[in-house]
């Protein structure tokens, strides 16, 4: 998946993709996988490229895109 992030905010922002939480090899809960763009200044753009290799049903947290520091801004990603 390729996403172009454009920042209209006066504050530097990043786009973060949350790629789910999957059990670790030793059976423990594991930790959430995430990736993000570099910090983008006002008017700037950055690409975020990622793969969704596993079904969301196997994750204990949802796949989603967020902009940290901006409340209520979330795009849920659905992967059957």
């Amino acid at each position: 998946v390729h996403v172009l992030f454009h920042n209209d905010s006066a504050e530097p922002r990043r786009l973060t993709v949350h790629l789910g939480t999957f059990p670790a090899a030793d059976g423990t809960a594991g930790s959430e996988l995430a990736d993000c763009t570099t910090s983008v200044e006002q008017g700037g753009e950055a690409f975020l490229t990622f793969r969704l290799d596993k079904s969301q049903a196997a994750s204990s947290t949802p796949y989603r895109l967020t902009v940290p520091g901006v409340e209520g801004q979330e795009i849920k990603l659905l992967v059957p």
Side-chain angles (χ1 to χ4, degrees), residues 14-47:
R14 315 175 173 266
L15 178 67
T16 301
V17 62
H18 302 266
L19 299 167
T21 304
F22 299 93
D26 64 3
T28 58
S31 57
E32 183 177 51
L33 303 173
D35 199 4
C36 64
T37 63
T38 59
S39 182
V40 178
E41 298 292 331
Q42 182 177 14
E45 297 179 333
F47 270 103

Side-chain angles (χ1 to χ4, degrees), residues 2-68:
H2 304 286
V3 178
L4 176 62
F5 174 62
H6 178 86
N7 182 17
D8 284 329
S9 170
E11 299 291 323
R13 301 283 185 201
R14 315 175 173 266
L15 178 67
T16 301
V17 62
H18 302 266
L19 299 167
T21 304
F22 299 93
D26 64 3
T28 58
S31 57
E32 183 177 51
L33 303 173
D35 199 4
C36 64
T37 63
T38 59
S39 182
V40 178
E41 298 292 331
Q42 182 177 14
E45 297 179 333
F47 270 103
L48 180 62
T49 301
F50 57 93
R51 293 180 60 143
L52 299 169
D53 292 330
K54 297 180 181 181
S55 169
Q56 189 168 344
S59 174
S60 60
T61 58
Y63 292 166
R64 65 196 190 284
L65 292 168
T66 63
V67 178

